[in-house]
Amino acid sequence: MRQFQALAFDFGASTGRAILGTLRDGELSYWELCRFDNVPIQRNGCLCWDVDALMDGVREGVRRAGSFDSLAFDTWGVDFGLLDGSGALLSPPVHYRDDRTAGLAKRVSDALGAEELYRKTGTQTMDINTLFQLLALKEQRPELLERAETLLFMPDLLAYLLSGAAVCERTIASTSQMLDPERGVWRTELLESLGLPARLLRPVVPSGTVTAELPGGAKVVAAAGHDTQCAAAAAPLSGGDEAFLSCGTWSLLGTELDGPILTPESAALGLSNETGADGRTQYLKNIIGLWLIQESRRQWRREGTEYSFSHLEELALGAEPFRCFIDPDAPLFTPPGDLPERIRRYCRETGQSEPLGVGGTVRCIYESLALKYRLALEQLARMTGKRFTALHIVGGGAQARLLCRMAASSCGVPVEAGPVEATALGNLLVQWVALGALPDLAAGRRLIAKSERPVRYEPEEAERWNRAYGAFLKIINRGTPKSGAGV
């Protein structure tokens, strides 16, 4: 049987990686070729992505891979680059954590109607969404928008800079708040109502579209460009009442449906209808995830102490349980900076005891995330009628054993943790379907289930977690503290 080799470029908020996968005789193997930093830069007063540095990493990955059949890119959602009429990148893509869009989501929702905006796009309304980034450009840098001819989301932009082929892949487009979730076409009338140029938007192509061929014959595939949808494609779901949690910098907790849910209640709950690699609806909740741990760890490093993630988990295990809680999605936790101090401030301003030391802070974060997962799971169950029997945690968070234990106990369902490399694996699966090496993604999931061994966590201490959940709901329902982020 022929051997198929595919190269997956998987970009996260802090690193990019090149993963080479081999499929032969029904057996899957993969390994990391190289890893490179993804360090934001300041340009024109904005926090931006350093595309030149990222492309250096891409070219190094291609060099190390040698001979392969195809490659594809996946990244985070919403961010984009603009090309001029000659195909040149006008400016570095702006980072979603830049504050230029602050308040725009509410302003647009008030003007157009929050329920109507949701009915048209099915997207959880957040300031970071592409629609509001474009509006910020119109108001703050109109000359750039006037010169632009093409908008490319980050995975499509990286593929374009390598191959010269400009496309817009479906899963990444569905993060923008500009795509019709039922028909899969752009809501051009929405852009025009806000004075935004719909000419920027290219036709949407399905996941798995072959877009170009590199010298040497390797094909460029528009895989599931949104990393969440790559991860979901590799989650070993069996089609029952199961939920998945793509757990990394962000936590995206969802379930698969045959079509979107666009009701006012769904809008009010902040649930999102994204498009999966197979075209089905991924109905999910966006939750700030391990960013809280990552940025806290950076702060402790700035203060002179380096902690490994395993050491942080050990410290959390020794800390007092259920001492205090935060709402992980409170706006003051979004910008970079001194998150441990902001957590202490949040606890003071909501009438709670402060976490004690590093271990107490980490425990507060993990418990709060686990409780927020329960809230999201209950919301999904209410809207879909599903009675969830398992939660599949995939991505880097599957290595966080304490968080996985807490998630099982908080949600009251078994957790299956793994694969850790779900995003890269999903990227590879989409490529192999595109090349005809696999018949469909369902076959790919069966392949993953055969080759990967998830770790199972059973719920524990139901009464304690039920009491903690009640306390957590009271805290987050008090509203966000009024103090600023203090960046």
Side-chain angles (χ1 to χ4, degrees):
M1 185 177 287
R2 183 188 164 190
Q3 173 176 291
F4 291 87
Q5 283 201 307
L7 179 58
F9 284 101
D10 173 30
F11 287 85
S14 58
T15 58
R17 302 178 307 144
I19 308 287
L20 188 65
T22 299
L23 180 62
R24 182 173 183 173
D25 297 332
E27 297 293 328
L28 164 66
S29 60
Y30 58 95
W31 57 97
E32 183 179 297
L33 297 176
C34 61
R35 178 183 293 255
F36 39 92
D37 290 335
N38 183 5
V39 181
I41 56 176
Q42 286 287 335
R43 290 290 186 274
N44 303 310
C46 291
L47 187 66
C48 297
W49 300 107
D50 189 349
V51 172
D52 291 338
L54 296 183
M55 288 306 299
D56 286 343
V58 168
R59 285 184 281 269
E60 177 62 15
V62 170
R63 186 190 69 78
R64 294 194 186 190
S67 176
F68 53 93
D69 298 297
S70 64
L71 64 76
F73 296 85
D74 67 75
T75 76
W76 58 94
V78 305
D79 290 343
F80 59 90
L82 295 175
L83 308 181
D84 66 14
S86 70
L89 183 63
L90 284 169
S91 183
V94 178
H95 195 301
Y96 62 84
R97 291 197 188 276
D98 187 80
D99 64 3
R100 64 179 178 159
T101 58
L104 286 180
K106 183 178 187 306
R107 217 173 80 200
V108 172
S109 295
D110 289 346
L112 301 182
E115 292 180 3
E116 181 65 10
L117 181 62
Y118 187 81
R119 186 188 66 78
K120 289 182 174 181
T121 65
T123 306
Q124 180 180 354
T125 302
M126 298 185 290
D127 281 333
I128 65 174
N129 291 350
T130 315
L131 180 67
F132 309 120
Q133 293 199 42
L134 284 174
L135 191 58
L137 267 180
K138 175 193 169 190
E139 295 180 353
Q140 299 163 23
R141 297 193 66 191
E143 75 289 347
L144 192 67
L145 208 55
E146 289 169 7
R147 293 171 56 201
E149 290 295 329
T150 303
L151 180 152
L152 294 179
F153 294 98
M154 288 301 297
D156 301 325
L157 176 64
L158 296 169
Y160 165 78
L161 293 173
L162 182 67
S163 70
V167 303
C168 182
E169 187 274 328
R170 181 172 56 191
T171 67
I172 199 73
S174 74
T175 70
S176 66
Q177 196 135 39
M178 302 188 300
L179 195 72
D180 185 316
E182 295 178 296
R183 297 180 297 141
V185 297
W186 295 114
R187 282 286 191 179
T188 55
E189 81 285 359
L190 174 60
L191 276 76
E192 290 163 356
S193 71
L194 296 171
L196 298 172
R199 71 173 189 279
L200 300 177
L201 305 176
R202 301 188 71 82
V204 177
V205 301
S207 307
T209 299
V210 176
T211 64
E213 190 171 297
L214 298 177
K219 292 178 170 57
V220 179
V221 179
H226 190 202
D227 52 9
T228 298
Q229 301 313 329
C230 278
L237 304 175
S238 63
D241 284 2
E242 300 165 290
F244 67 86
L245 172 62
S246 177
C247 187
T249 300
W250 287 84
S251 288
L252 294 102
L253 196 156
T255 190
E256 293 185 330
L257 301 176
D258 291 328
I261 296 176
L262 305 173
T263 62
E265 185 180 4
S266 182
L269 292 174
L271 297 168
S272 203
N273 297 270
E274 295 186 8
T275 304
D278 60 358
R280 298 183 72 205
T281 295
Q282 303 289 341
Y283 189 54
L284 54 83
K285 181 86 166 198
N286 287 281
I287 302 166
I288 287 183
L290 296 180
W291 159 258
L292 298 167
I293 295 291
Q294 294 160 354
E295 188 62 14
S296 294
R297 183 169 173 254
R298 281 188 282 269
Q299 178 61 30
W300 291 319
R301 183 189 302 136
R302 289 189 286 266
E303 294 172 357
T305 306
E306 180 79 48
Y307 294 101
S308 68
F309 289 109
S310 59
H311 189 191
L312 290 176
E313 189 165 303
E314 289 175 12
L315 293 173
L317 277 167
E320 178 185 350
F322 307 128
R323 177 180 173 87
C324 52
F325 308 110
I326 60 170
D327 182 351
D329 295 312
L332 75 163
F333 300 131
T334 300
D338 190 349
L339 285 197
E341 171 53 31
R342 292 185 212 160
I343 289 170
R344 291 191 291 270
R345 185 194 316 161
Y346 181 101
C347 292
R348 289 194 302 268
E349 296 184 7
T350 51
Q352 303 180 83
S353 301
E354 295 181 27
L356 297 177
V358 171
T361 299
V362 175
R363 184 157 197 129
C364 172
I365 290 170
Y366 275 170
E367 288 176 347
S368 299
L369 283 172
L371 293 163
K372 193 67 181 272
Y373 297 159
R374 174 171 172 172
L375 176 60
L377 202 64
E378 288 182 353
Q379 292 172 341
L380 291 169
R382 185 193 321 167
M383 296 307 305
T384 64
K386 292 187 176 186
R387 301 183 65 179
F388 293 108
T389 57
L391 175 63
H392 293 269
I393 297 183
V394 297
Q399 298 177 100
R401 292 169 297 178
L402 180 58
L403 178 61
C404 292
R405 273 179 47 201
M406 289 179 171
S409 297
S410 174
C411 296
V413 297
V415 160
E416 297 276 351
V420 172
E421 295 291 355
T423 304
L425 287 170
N427 184 318
L428 294 170
L429 294 183
V430 175
Q431 292 186 62
W432 285 326
V433 172
L435 296 178
L438 289 172
D440 51 34
L441 284 179
R445 278 181 169 165
R446 290 193 294 272
L447 180 66
I448 296 291
K450 184 175 72 171
S451 61
E452 300 289 317
R453 293 290 179 267
V455 179
R456 187 177 176 90
Y457 298 86
E458 295 288 347
E460 301 172 345
E461 300 184 297
E463 286 189 19
R464 292 190 75 193
W465 279 96
N466 287 338
R467 289 195 299 270
Y469 185 55
F472 171 77
L473 291 179
K474 289 178 182 177
I475 294 298
I476 67 171
N477 287 335
R478 291 176 188 172
T480 302
K482 296 180 180 179
S483 298
V487 185

mmCIF file with all atom_site columns, all heavy atoms in Angstrom, residues 85 119 142 149 162 170 179 198 204-205 223-224 242 255 274 284 328 346 360 375 418 472:
data_model
loop_
_atom_site.group_PDB
_atom_site.id
_atom_site.type_symbol
_atom_site.label_atom_id
_atom_site.label_alt_id
_atom_site.label_comp_id
_atom_site.label_asym_id
_atom_site.label_entity_id
_atom_site.label_seq_id
_atom_site.pdbx_PDB_ins_code
_atom_site.Cartn_x
_atom_site.Cartn_y
_atom_site.Cartn_z
_atom_site.occupancy
_atom_site.B_iso_or_equiv
_atom_site.pdbx_formal_charge
_atom_site.auth_seq_id
_atom_site.auth_comp_id
_atom_site.auth_asym_id
_atom_site.auth_atom_id
_atom_site.pdbx_PDB_model_num
ATOM 1   N N   . GLY A 1 85  ? -3.728  45.654 -4.399 1.00 0.00 ? 85  GLY A N   1
ATOM 2   C CA  . GLY A 1 85  ? -4.038  45.163 -5.739 1.00 0.00 ? 85  GLY A CA  1
ATOM 3   C C   . GLY A 1 85  ? -2.936  44.345 -6.370 1.00 0.00 ? 85  GLY A C   1
ATOM 4   O O   . GLY A 1 85  ? -3.192  43.509 -7.248 1.00 0.00 ? 85  GLY A O   1
ATOM 5   N N   . ARG A 1 119 ? -28.775 36.102 14.510 1.00 0.00 ? 119 ARG A N   1
ATOM 6   C CA  . ARG A 1 119 ? -29.547 35.310 13.539 1.00 0.00 ? 119 ARG A CA  1
ATOM 7   C C   . ARG A 1 119 ? -28.837 35.255 12.192 1.00 0.00 ? 119 ARG A C   1
ATOM 8   O O   . ARG A 1 119 ? -28.861 34.238 11.497 1.00 0.00 ? 119 ARG A O   1
ATOM 9   C CB  . ARG A 1 119 ? -30.939 35.915 13.365 1.00 0.00 ? 119 ARG A CB  1
ATOM 10  C CG  . ARG A 1 119 ? -31.875 35.086 12.488 1.00 0.00 ? 119 ARG A CG  1
ATOM 11  C CD  . ARG A 1 119 ? -33.167 35.811 12.196 1.00 0.00 ? 119 ARG A CD  1
ATOM 12  N NE  . ARG A 1 119 ? -32.945 37.001 11.384 1.00 0.00 ? 119 ARG A NE  1
ATOM 13  C CZ  . ARG A 1 119 ? -32.737 36.983 10.066 1.00 0.00 ? 119 ARG A CZ  1
ATOM 14  N NH1 . ARG A 1 119 ? -32.711 35.833 9.412  1.00 0.00 ? 119 ARG A NH1 1
ATOM 15  N NH2 . ARG A 1 119 ? -32.568 38.104 9.391  1.00 0.00 ? 119 ARG A NH2 1
ATOM 16  N N   . PRO A 1 142 ? -8.598  54.440 7.946  1.00 0.00 ? 142 PRO A N   1
ATOM 17  C CA  . PRO A 1 142 ? -9.418  54.276 6.735  1.00 0.00 ? 142 PRO A CA  1
ATOM 18  C C   . PRO A 1 142 ? -8.590  54.185 5.460  1.00 0.00 ? 142 PRO A C   1
ATOM 19  O O   . PRO A 1 142 ? -9.005  53.537 4.495  1.00 0.00 ? 142 PRO A O   1
ATOM 20  C CB  . PRO A 1 142 ? -10.302 55.520 6.751  1.00 0.00 ? 142 PRO A CB  1
ATOM 21  C CG  . PRO A 1 142 ? -9.577  56.512 7.606  1.00 0.00 ? 142 PRO A CG  1
ATOM 22  C CD  . PRO A 1 142 ? -8.882  55.702 8.648  1.00 0.00 ? 142 PRO A CD  1
ATOM 23  N N   . GLU A 1 149 ? -7.488  45.183 -1.221 1.00 0.00 ? 149 GLU A N   1
ATOM 24  C CA  . GLU A 1 149 ? -8.303  44.495 -2.229 1.00 0.00 ? 149 GLU A CA  1
ATOM 25  C C   . GLU A 1 149 ? -8.727  43.100 -1.786 1.00 0.00 ? 149 GLU A C   1
ATOM 26  O O   . GLU A 1 149 ? -9.727  42.579 -2.258 1.00 0.00 ? 149 GLU A O   1
ATOM 27  C CB  . GLU A 1 149 ? -7.527  44.388 -3.549 1.00 0.00 ? 149 GLU A CB  1
ATOM 28  C CG  . GLU A 1 149 ? -7.340  45.715 -4.267 1.00 0.00 ? 149 GLU A CG  1
ATOM 29  C CD  . GLU A 1 149 ? -8.671  46.318 -4.725 1.00 0.00 ? 149 GLU A CD  1
ATOM 30  O OE1 . GLU A 1 149 ? -9.608  45.552 -5.041 1.00 0.00 ? 149 GLU A OE1 1
ATOM 31  O OE2 . GLU A 1 149 ? -8.767  47.562 -4.746 1.00 0.00 ? 149 GLU A OE2 1
ATOM 32  N N   . LEU A 1 162 ? 3.334   31.350 1.039  1.00 0.00 ? 162 LEU A N   1
ATOM 33  C CA  . LEU A 1 162 ? 4.176   30.242 0.614  1.00 0.00 ? 162 LEU A CA  1
ATOM 34  C C   . LEU A 1 162 ? 3.923   29.857 -0.844 1.00 0.00 ? 162 LEU A C   1
ATOM 35  O O   . LEU A 1 162 ? 4.867   29.578 -1.585 1.00 0.00 ? 162 LEU A O   1
ATOM 36  C CB  . LEU A 1 162 ? 3.938   29.033 1.518  1.00 0.00 ? 162 LEU A CB  1
ATOM 37  C CG  . LEU A 1 162 ? 4.800   27.801 1.229  1.00 0.00 ? 162 LEU A CG  1
ATOM 38  C CD1 . LEU A 1 162 ? 6.266   28.093 1.554  1.00 0.00 ? 162 LEU A CD1 1
ATOM 39  C CD2 . LEU A 1 162 ? 4.306   26.595 2.011  1.00 0.00 ? 162 LEU A CD2 1
ATOM 40  N N   . ARG A 1 170 ? -13.485 27.565 4.782  1.00 0.00 ? 170 ARG A N   1
ATOM 41  C CA  . ARG A 1 170 ? -14.791 27.690 5.425  1.00 0.00 ? 170 ARG A CA  1
ATOM 42  C C   . ARG A 1 170 ? -14.740 27.750 6.953  1.00 0.00 ? 170 ARG A C   1
ATOM 43  O O   . ARG A 1 170 ? -15.430 28.570 7.566  1.00 0.00 ? 170 ARG A O   1
ATOM 44  C CB  . ARG A 1 170 ? -15.656 26.501 4.981  1.00 0.00 ? 170 ARG A CB  1
ATOM 45  C CG  . ARG A 1 170 ? -17.064 26.476 5.533  1.00 0.00 ? 170 ARG A CG  1
ATOM 46  C CD  . ARG A 1 170 ? -17.864 25.381 4.862  1.00 0.00 ? 170 ARG A CD  1
ATOM 47  N NE  . ARG A 1 170 ? -17.210 24.069 4.994  1.00 0.00 ? 170 ARG A NE  1
ATOM 48  C CZ  . ARG A 1 170 ? -17.589 22.984 4.310  1.00 0.00 ? 170 ARG A CZ  1
ATOM 49  N NH1 . ARG A 1 170 ? -18.599 23.050 3.456  1.00 0.00 ? 170 ARG A NH1 1
ATOM 50  N NH2 . ARG A 1 170 ? -16.968 21.828 4.496  1.00 0.00 ? 170 ARG A NH2 1
ATOM 51  N N   . LEU A 1 179 ? -20.239 35.431 8.259  1.00 0.00 ? 179 LEU A N   1
ATOM 52  C CA  . LEU A 1 179 ? -20.654 34.324 7.402  1.00 0.00 ? 179 LEU A CA  1
ATOM 53  C C   . LEU A 1 179 ? -22.044 33.844 7.788  1.00 0.00 ? 179 LEU A C   1
ATOM 54  O O   . LEU A 1 179 ? -22.352 33.723 8.976  1.00 0.00 ? 179 LEU A O   1
ATOM 55  C CB  . LEU A 1 179 ? -19.659 33.168 7.537  1.00 0.00 ? 179 LEU A CB  1
ATOM 56  C CG  . LEU A 1 179 ? -19.720 32.079 6.462  1.00 0.00 ? 179 LEU A CG  1
ATOM 57  C CD1 . LEU A 1 179 ? -19.175 32.601 5.143  1.00 0.00 ? 179 LEU A CD1 1
ATOM 58  C CD2 . LEU A 1 179 ? -18.951 30.838 6.915  1.00 0.00 ? 179 LEU A CD2 1
ATOM 59  N N   . ALA A 1 198 ? -17.319 44.905 1.026  1.00 0.00 ? 198 ALA A N   1
ATOM 60  C CA  . ALA A 1 198 ? -17.480 43.460 0.829  1.00 0.00 ? 198 ALA A CA  1
ATOM 61  C C   . ALA A 1 198 ? -16.558 42.936 -0.268 1.00 0.00 ? 198 ALA A C   1
ATOM 62  O O   . ALA A 1 198 ? -16.353 41.723 -0.375 1.00 0.00 ? 198 ALA A O   1
ATOM 63  C CB  . ALA A 1 198 ? -18.930 43.137 0.497  1.00 0.00 ? 198 ALA A CB  1
ATOM 64  N N   . VAL A 1 204 ? -15.871 31.407 -0.442 1.00 0.00 ? 204 VAL A N   1
ATOM 65  C CA  . VAL A 1 204 ? -15.497 30.434 0.585  1.00 0.00 ? 204 VAL A CA  1
ATOM 66  C C   . VAL A 1 204 ? -15.325 29.056 -0.048 1.00 0.00 ? 204 VAL A C   1
ATOM 67  O O   . VAL A 1 204 ? -16.145 28.625 -0.865 1.00 0.00 ? 204 VAL A O   1
ATOM 68  C CB  . VAL A 1 204 ? -16.573 30.388 1.687  1.00 0.00 ? 204 VAL A CB  1
ATOM 69  C CG1 . VAL A 1 204 ? -16.243 29.337 2.724  1.00 0.00 ? 204 VAL A CG1 1
ATOM 70  C CG2 . VAL A 1 204 ? -16.715 31.761 2.333  1.00 0.00 ? 204 VAL A CG2 1
ATOM 71  N N   . VAL A 1 205 ? -14.233 28.349 0.341  1.00 0.00 ? 205 VAL A N   1
ATOM 72  C CA  . VAL A 1 205 ? -13.999 26.996 -0.171 1.00 0.00 ? 205 VAL A CA  1
ATOM 73  C C   . VAL A 1 205 ? -14.095 26.002 0.981  1.00 0.00 ? 205 VAL A C   1
ATOM 74  O O   . VAL A 1 205 ? -13.793 26.332 2.129  1.00 0.00 ? 205 VAL A O   1
ATOM 75  C CB  . VAL A 1 205 ? -12.620 26.868 -0.861 1.00 0.00 ? 205 VAL A CB  1
ATOM 76  C CG1 . VAL A 1 205 ? -12.510 27.856 -2.014 1.00 0.00 ? 205 VAL A CG1 1
ATOM 77  C CG2 . VAL A 1 205 ? -11.472 27.065 0.123  1.00 0.00 ? 205 VAL A CG2 1
ATOM 78  N N   . ALA A 1 223 ? -6.846  23.060 4.757  1.00 0.00 ? 223 ALA A N   1
ATOM 79  C CA  . ALA A 1 223 ? -7.423  22.128 5.727  1.00 0.00 ? 223 ALA A CA  1
ATOM 80  C C   . ALA A 1 223 ? -8.479  22.871 6.532  1.00 0.00 ? 223 ALA A C   1
ATOM 81  O O   . ALA A 1 223 ? -9.000  23.905 6.082  1.00 0.00 ? 223 ALA A O   1
ATOM 82  C CB  . ALA A 1 223 ? -6.322  21.568 6.625  1.00 0.00 ? 223 ALA A CB  1
ATOM 83  N N   . ALA A 1 224 ? -8.836  22.378 7.681  1.00 0.00 ? 224 ALA A N   1
ATOM 84  C CA  . ALA A 1 224 ? -9.682  23.156 8.585  1.00 0.00 ? 224 ALA A CA  1
ATOM 85  C C   . ALA A 1 224 ? -8.782  24.232 9.176  1.00 0.00 ? 224 ALA A C   1
ATOM 86  O O   . ALA A 1 224 ? -8.024  23.971 10.111 1.00 0.00 ? 224 ALA A O   1
ATOM 87  C CB  . ALA A 1 224 ? -10.280 22.271 9.665  1.00 0.00 ? 224 ALA A CB  1
ATOM 88  N N   . GLU A 1 242 ? -22.138 13.294 23.214 1.00 0.00 ? 242 GLU A N   1
ATOM 89  C CA  . GLU A 1 242 ? -20.811 13.578 23.740 1.00 0.00 ? 242 GLU A CA  1
ATOM 90  C C   . GLU A 1 242 ? -20.475 15.035 23.466 1.00 0.00 ? 242 GLU A C   1
ATOM 91  O O   . GLU A 1 242 ? -20.955 15.630 22.513 1.00 0.00 ? 242 GLU A O   1
ATOM 92  C CB  . GLU A 1 242 ? -19.762 12.692 23.076 1.00 0.00 ? 242 GLU A CB  1
ATOM 93  C CG  . GLU A 1 242 ? -19.979 11.203 23.280 1.00 0.00 ? 242 GLU A CG  1
ATOM 94  C CD  . GLU A 1 242 ? -19.134 10.399 22.316 1.00 0.00 ? 242 GLU A CD  1
ATOM 95  O OE1 . GLU A 1 242 ? -19.434 10.428 21.114 1.00 0.00 ? 242 GLU A OE1 1
ATOM 96  O OE2 . GLU A 1 242 ? -18.171 9.768  22.770 1.00 0.00 ? 242 GLU A OE2 1
ATOM 97  N N   . THR A 1 255 ? -20.390 20.720 20.933 1.00 0.00 ? 255 THR A N   1
ATOM 98  C CA  . THR A 1 255 ? -20.947 19.457 20.473 1.00 0.00 ? 255 THR A CA  1
ATOM 99  C C   . THR A 1 255 ? -21.288 19.597 19.000 1.00 0.00 ? 255 THR A C   1
ATOM 100 O O   . THR A 1 255 ? -21.444 20.723 18.497 1.00 0.00 ? 255 THR A O   1
ATOM 101 C CB  . THR A 1 255 ? -22.184 19.069 21.302 1.00 0.00 ? 255 THR A CB  1
ATOM 102 O OG1 . THR A 1 255 ? -22.567 17.729 20.997 1.00 0.00 ? 255 THR A OG1 1
ATOM 103 C CG2 . THR A 1 255 ? -23.367 20.000 21.020 1.00 0.00 ? 255 THR A CG2 1
ATOM 104 N N   . GLU A 1 274 ? -20.103 27.435 14.781 1.00 0.00 ? 274 GLU A N   1
ATOM 105 C CA  . GLU A 1 274 ? -18.986 27.440 13.839 1.00 0.00 ? 274 GLU A CA  1
ATOM 106 C C   . GLU A 1 274 ? -19.119 26.249 12.899 1.00 0.00 ? 274 GLU A C   1
ATOM 107 O O   . GLU A 1 274 ? -19.851 25.303 13.178 1.00 0.00 ? 274 GLU A O   1
ATOM 108 C CB  . GLU A 1 274 ? -17.649 27.408 14.579 1.00 0.00 ? 274 GLU A CB  1
ATOM 109 C CG  . GLU A 1 274 ? -17.418 28.664 15.405 1.00 0.00 ? 274 GLU A CG  1
ATOM 110 C CD  . GLU A 1 274 ? -16.030 28.727 16.033 1.00 0.00 ? 274 GLU A CD  1
ATOM 111 O OE1 . GLU A 1 274 ? -15.185 27.852 15.704 1.00 0.00 ? 274 GLU A OE1 1
ATOM 112 O OE2 . GLU A 1 274 ? -15.788 29.629 16.851 1.00 0.00 ? 274 GLU A OE2 1
ATOM 113 N N   . LEU A 1 284 ? -20.798 25.684 20.120 1.00 0.00 ? 284 LEU A N   1
ATOM 114 C CA  . LEU A 1 284 ? -19.812 25.730 21.192 1.00 0.00 ? 284 LEU A CA  1
ATOM 115 C C   . LEU A 1 284 ? -19.819 27.049 21.954 1.00 0.00 ? 284 LEU A C   1
ATOM 116 O O   . LEU A 1 284 ? -20.457 28.033 21.562 1.00 0.00 ? 284 LEU A O   1
ATOM 117 C CB  . LEU A 1 284 ? -18.417 25.456 20.626 1.00 0.00 ? 284 LEU A CB  1
ATOM 118 C CG  . LEU A 1 284 ? -17.917 26.308 19.452 1.00 0.00 ? 284 LEU A CG  1
ATOM 119 C CD1 . LEU A 1 284 ? -17.350 27.624 19.904 1.00 0.00 ? 284 LEU A CD1 1
ATOM 120 C CD2 . LEU A 1 284 ? -16.865 25.538 18.646 1.00 0.00 ? 284 LEU A CD2 1
ATOM 121 N N   . PRO A 1 328 ? -13.586 33.241 34.523 1.00 0.00 ? 328 PRO A N   1
ATOM 122 C CA  . PRO A 1 328 ? -12.445 33.279 33.611 1.00 0.00 ? 328 PRO A CA  1
ATOM 123 C C   . PRO A 1 328 ? -12.612 34.261 32.461 1.00 0.00 ? 328 PRO A C   1
ATOM 124 O O   . PRO A 1 328 ? -11.622 34.752 31.914 1.00 0.00 ? 328 PRO A O   1
ATOM 125 C CB  . PRO A 1 328 ? -12.373 31.838 33.096 1.00 0.00 ? 328 PRO A CB  1
ATOM 126 C CG  . PRO A 1 328 ? -13.016 31.016 34.162 1.00 0.00 ? 328 PRO A CG  1
ATOM 127 C CD  . PRO A 1 328 ? -14.118 31.879 34.708 1.00 0.00 ? 328 PRO A CD  1
ATOM 128 N N   . TYR A 1 346 ? -9.950  40.798 41.803 1.00 0.00 ? 346 TYR A N   1
ATOM 129 C CA  . TYR A 1 346 ? -11.294 40.291 41.510 1.00 0.00 ? 346 TYR A CA  1
ATOM 130 C C   . TYR A 1 346 ? -11.910 39.678 42.763 1.00 0.00 ? 346 TYR A C   1
ATOM 131 O O   . TYR A 1 346 ? -13.087 39.921 43.079 1.00 0.00 ? 346 TYR A O   1
ATOM 132 C CB  . TYR A 1 346 ? -11.219 39.253 40.388 1.00 0.00 ? 346 TYR A CB  1
ATOM 133 C CG  . TYR A 1 346 ? -12.551 38.674 39.967 1.00 0.00 ? 346 TYR A CG  1
ATOM 134 C CD1 . TYR A 1 346 ? -13.193 39.131 38.820 1.00 0.00 ? 346 TYR A CD1 1
ATOM 135 C CD2 . TYR A 1 346 ? -13.185 37.668 40.709 1.00 0.00 ? 346 TYR A CD2 1
ATOM 136 C CE1 . TYR A 1 346 ? -14.420 38.587 38.424 1.00 0.00 ? 346 TYR A CE1 1
ATOM 137 C CE2 . TYR A 1 346 ? -14.400 37.138 40.330 1.00 0.00 ? 346 TYR A CE2 1
ATOM 138 C CZ  . TYR A 1 346 ? -15.011 37.602 39.186 1.00 0.00 ? 346 TYR A CZ  1
ATOM 139 O OH  . TYR A 1 346 ? -16.226 37.087 38.803 1.00 0.00 ? 346 TYR A OH  1
ATOM 140 N N   . GLY A 1 360 ? -2.313  28.619 45.509 1.00 0.00 ? 360 GLY A N   1
ATOM 141 C CA  . GLY A 1 360 ? -3.703  29.048 45.655 1.00 0.00 ? 360 GLY A CA  1
ATOM 142 C C   . GLY A 1 360 ? -4.234  29.708 44.406 1.00 0.00 ? 360 GLY A C   1
ATOM 143 O O   . GLY A 1 360 ? -5.408  29.530 44.040 1.00 0.00 ? 360 GLY A O   1
ATOM 144 N N   . LEU A 1 375 ? -21.011 25.065 33.568 1.00 0.00 ? 375 LEU A N   1
ATOM 145 C CA  . LEU A 1 375 ? -22.029 26.019 33.139 1.00 0.00 ? 375 LEU A CA  1
ATOM 146 C C   . LEU A 1 375 ? -22.247 25.936 31.631 1.00 0.00 ? 375 LEU A C   1
ATOM 147 O O   . LEU A 1 375 ? -23.393 25.912 31.153 1.00 0.00 ? 375 LEU A O   1
ATOM 148 C CB  . LEU A 1 375 ? -21.609 27.438 33.541 1.00 0.00 ? 375 LEU A CB  1
ATOM 149 C CG  . LEU A 1 375 ? -22.520 28.576 33.084 1.00 0.00 ? 375 LEU A CG  1
ATOM 150 C CD1 . LEU A 1 375 ? -23.932 28.410 33.636 1.00 0.00 ? 375 LEU A CD1 1
ATOM 151 C CD2 . LEU A 1 375 ? -21.937 29.928 33.501 1.00 0.00 ? 375 LEU A CD2 1
ATOM 152 N N   . GLY A 1 418 ? -7.334  13.367 25.684 1.00 0.00 ? 418 GLY A N   1
ATOM 153 C CA  . GLY A 1 418 ? -6.444  13.032 24.596 1.00 0.00 ? 418 GLY A CA  1
ATOM 154 C C   . GLY A 1 418 ? -7.222  12.856 23.294 1.00 0.00 ? 418 GLY A C   1
ATOM 155 O O   . GLY A 1 418 ? -8.439  12.668 23.313 1.00 0.00 ? 418 GLY A O   1
ATOM 156 N N   . PHE A 1 472 ? -19.986 29.443 43.013 1.00 0.00 ? 472 PHE A N   1
ATOM 157 C CA  . PHE A 1 472 ? -19.411 30.018 41.792 1.00 0.00 ? 472 PHE A CA  1
ATOM 158 C C   . PHE A 1 472 ? -20.450 30.843 41.033 1.00 0.00 ? 472 PHE A C   1
ATOM 159 O O   . PHE A 1 472 ? -20.171 31.970 40.590 1.00 0.00 ? 472 PHE A O   1
ATOM 160 C CB  . PHE A 1 472 ? -18.875 28.878 40.920 1.00 0.00 ? 472 PHE A CB  1
ATOM 161 C CG  . PHE A 1 472 ? -18.445 29.284 39.542 1.00 0.00 ? 472 PHE A CG  1
ATOM 162 C CD1 . PHE A 1 472 ? -17.231 29.941 39.329 1.00 0.00 ? 472 PHE A CD1 1
ATOM 163 C CD2 . PHE A 1 472 ? -19.235 28.990 38.438 1.00 0.00 ? 472 PHE A CD2 1
ATOM 164 C CE1 . PHE A 1 472 ? -16.829 30.301 38.050 1.00 0.00 ? 472 PHE A CE1 1
ATOM 165 C CE2 . PHE A 1 472 ? -18.846 29.342 37.160 1.00 0.00 ? 472 PHE A CE2 1
ATOM 166 C CZ  . PHE A 1 472 ? -17.632 30.004 36.963 1.00 0.00 ? 472 PHE A CZ  1
#
